[in-house]
Amino acid sequence: MMDISVVSGKLLSHRADLLAVLMREGAALPEMNLGGLVARCAREEEFKGGENAVLSLHTHGKIGAPRLALIGIGREKDADRTLEQLRNAASRAVKLAKAAGAKTLAISSPVSGEREVQALAEGASLGAYVFDRYKKEKKPLKLERVQILARKALAKAASQGAEIAGAVNLARDLVNEPPGRVTPRALADAARKMARAHGLRCEVLSRAQIRKLGMNLFLAVSQGSAQEPQLVRISYEARGTPIALVGKAITFDSGGLSIKTAQGMENMKVDMAGAAAVIAAMRLVAALKPPFPVRAYFGACENLPSGTAYKPGDVIAGKNGTSVEVLNTDAEGRLVLADVLAWAVEEKPAAVIDLATLTGAILVALGPWTTGLFSNDDALAAEISDAARIAGEPLWRMPLTPEMEELIKSPVADLKNTGGRYGGSINAALFLQHFVGKTPWAHLDIAGPASVDKERGYNPRGGTGAGVRLSAPRAR
Ligand code: BES
Ligand code: MN
Ligand code: ZN
């Protein structure tokens, strides 16, 4: 584990294997000039501090650090954008340190308040993440220490940033693990392990108990698989009314009998990213101890075709009694979520928030990196939007168009599980809304940002941990 701390060192004399100096575009070069070398290199390389620009030099003993990297963070836009610029730059600094084989990295930033130091710590830890468990050739991380040069009083902000990034990295691991390993039982075990390590309660319910709860929609999705479904509830106790988090936990989505194409299921191990995010968020809840109870729920299963699989045409009523005509077994997430949401709202939470890789259509609507937010409550939607903006998670609110209800009406049941191609993410959200009653509810469709197909800033290829940072309490 890489240690991240705050030290109040001096730029010129501070000893570290690599000193990374973050710089705004067009700002004056840092105080050390190494006999004019910094200015000359900057001129020759046309380094002006633009976002992602880097100028690396050896200092030949002229300052405390043998290597210096100037990292551009671009021009100032707004406070949230600054945080994102810092996360990216800190991640960049860590990658440079790794490439140089550095054991210690010091980072100096032109802006370093509480939130900025937190963002630097987040970026450093997020950028250091690699998933190489299954590679013969591993590159062990030589980097032992990241020191953020700032006032000592900001130590807490740095440790909070490291804590948050640690939780994001846990979610990334769970998503990146292959689906043959992260079975429903393994995902439940991961929740139990996290809960035990952090003093939370965790209950795991078996198929028989799921049946007793009347969750026939959840059971229907799971019935094509040889793996037993697992219903999980993680609780953090405090006084007051709880907040409920619900995660989609399809450990592999083949589409079932409405089977996907080969290409369409290449990355369908990602379909438990919502559950990974709520497990990680609960780890943060345990660490940051909010003054209200928080409960997380997920129903884990596989969606597979087989002789026992549920079928297009099946009509099933789940926990809250609403009957559903299944037209497409690949619209399975909303079926499982329906039952789990219905269960969560029975406990009368102040709000319920679900995170789900629910629809391909959200990628069509918002592109590959943006979460779609749907909510029946403007205040809740505003709180989540603010949190996402500060956390640097792109998010856009989508409508719950009431006129589109007719698209999910069934001739034989109360609802059908698909509403056609147009507005696919909206009709999926409208479907979920039938299972939350009057509880303030927000649905985050993370099908896009849950994973990326190539490295992007502080996100490595694969699972990103989308939804974790926006769930974390932070300095304001
Ligand atoms: N898990 C998928 C959605 C998904 C797509 C997640 C791409 C991540 C990346 C979901 O279960 C699904 O298959 N949705 C269908 C719904 C359709 C059958 C109504 C879809 O999006 O095509
Ligand atoms: Mn599906
Ligand atoms: Zn799915």
Side-chain angles (χ1 to χ4, degrees):
M1 250 307 252
M2 189 180 80
D3 177 73
I4 301 178
S5 59
V6 169
V7 300
S8 54
K10 289 222 164 37
L11 215 50
L12 288 172
S13 55
H14 188 73
R15 288 186 180 280
D17 298 333
L18 173 66
L19 171 64
V21 177
L22 277 41
M23 204 186 112
R24 281 263 181 237
E25 186 166 353
L29 291 166
E31 48 184 290
M32 81 280 274
N33 64 8
L34 309 180
L37 190 64
V38 173
R40 222 176 70 209
C41 288
R43 209 177 321 114
E44 281 166 8
E45 303 280 317
E46 292 184 51
F47 174 87
K48 297 189 189 71
E51 239 167 273
N52 295 321
V54 172
L55 185 70
S56 290
L57 346 120
H58 289 263
T59 65
H60 304 290
K62 295 205 178 71
I63 62 170
R67 286 169 191 268
L68 170 67
L70 301 189
I71 301 179
I73 57 172
R75 295 198 185 277
E76 182 170 353
K77 305 229 169 69
D78 57 55
D80 301 319
R81 183 65 210 148
T82 294
L83 299 179
E84 195 61 0
Q85 289 165 326
L86 296 180
R87 285 183 200 99
N88 278 318
S91 155
R92 195 64 196 274
V94 163
K95 284 169 196 170
L96 292 170
K98 270 174 91 173
K103 274 191 181 169
T104 54
L105 162 69
I107 302 178
S108 147
S109 161
V111 270
S112 54
E114 248 178 77
R115 279 201 200 168
E116 289 79 16
V117 165
Q118 182 182 325
L120 289 168
E122 286 175 7
S125 167
L126 293 171
Y129 178 88
V130 279
F131 186 75
D132 60 4
R133 276 192 73 171
Y134 300 105
K135 293 236 188 215
K136 232 187 242 139
E137 214 166 295
K138 297 194 207 337
K139 299 188 194 91
L141 186 64
K142 274 206 202 137
L143 186 60
E144 291 167 0
R145 250 191 315 284
V146 176
Q147 304 171 320
I148 298 169
L149 301 181
R151 286 179 292 119
K152 267 289 188 198
L154 297 170
K156 183 137 179 274
S159 65
Q160 188 143 318
E163 187 80 49
I164 289 170
V168 173
N169 288 341
L170 166 66
R172 287 171 168 183
D173 272 342
L174 288 170
V175 171
N176 288 335
E177 279 291 333
R181 296 208 179 237
V182 179
T183 57
R185 176 157 291 129
L187 193 59
D189 286 344
R192 215 190 267 117
K193 187 169 153 218
M194 182 284 299
R196 187 164 301 154
H198 296 88
L200 301 175
R201 190 166 126 98
C202 181
E203 300 151 272
V204 180
L205 280 60
S206 65
R207 180 182 269 129
Q209 292 166 297
I210 296 166
R211 187 168 295 125
K212 222 178 255 162
L213 285 168
M215 295 191 174
N216 300 319
L217 291 165
F218 177 19
L219 287 175
V221 173
S222 75
Q223 82 194 26
S225 159
Q227 306 286 337
E228 192 182 0
Q230 308 277 306
L231 179 61
V232 177
R233 173 168 58 191
I234 311 166
S235 317
Y236 161 78
E237 306 294 349
R239 299 224 297 188
T241 319
I243 298 289
L245 301 176
V246 173
K248 177 173 173 181
I250 302 297
T251 61
F252 186 73
D253 181 13
S254 72
L257 288 173
S258 312
I259 199 160
K260 291 181 184 293
T261 59
Q263 213 202 342
M265 66 174 95
E266 272 177 11
N267 194 34
M268 276 306 130
K269 66 173 184 179
V270 77
D271 220 14
M272 37 59 73
V278 307
I279 293 170
M282 288 308 282
R283 185 170 123 179
L284 284 177
V285 164
L288 304 172
K289 299 192 170 46
F292 48 82
V294 185
R295 295 187 192 149
Y297 307 78
F298 63 85
C301 70
E302 297 179 322
N303 185 25
L304 295 182
S306 77
T308 61
Y310 77 138
K311 303 166 188 75
D314 274 344
V315 174
I316 304 149
K319 176 145 197 56
N320 90 345
T322 304
S323 63
V324 179
E325 180 187 15
V326 176
L327 286 183
N328 189 318
T329 62
D330 197 11
E332 83 298 338
R334 66 196 74 182
L335 301 175
V336 178
L337 287 170
D339 273 342
V340 180
L341 283 167
W343 190 39
V345 300
E346 272 182 7
E347 298 176 3
K348 305 231 174 306
V352 60
I353 302 164
D354 75 72
L355 294 100
T357 47
L358 201 62
T359 64
I362 201 68
L363 284 100
V364 178
L366 299 180
W369 307 309
T370 300
T371 294
L373 164 66
F374 298 82
S375 182
N376 62 2
D377 187 289
D378 290 345
L380 178 62
E383 261 192 73
I384 292 172
S385 300
D386 285 347
R389 210 174 326 101
I390 299 167
E393 294 205 53
L395 174 146
W396 193 257
R397 187 166 180 191
M398 297 280 290
L400 285 161
T401 314
E403 293 78 8
M404 286 173 67
E405 282 287 349
E406 72 175 65
L407 299 179
I408 54 169
K409 285 218 173 90
S410 160
V412 299
D414 299 324
L415 296 173
K416 58 184 182 187
N417 78 331
T418 58
R421 238 158 56 79
Y422 299 135
S425 305
I426 301 175
N427 61 51
L430 286 171
F431 182 94
L432 296 181
Q433 190 171 28
H434 284 268
F435 301 87
V436 297
K438 292 201 161 33
T439 308
W441 156 73
H443 158 57
L444 299 172
D445 193 335
I446 57 170
S451 73
V452 286
D453 54 19
K454 58 173 192 287
E455 180 182 283
R456 195 167 173 269
Y458 50 76
N459 280 320
R461 198 204 73 86
T464 59
V468 178
R469 277 181 296 129
L470 70 81
S471 310
R474 57 183 51 232
R476 270 166 207 277

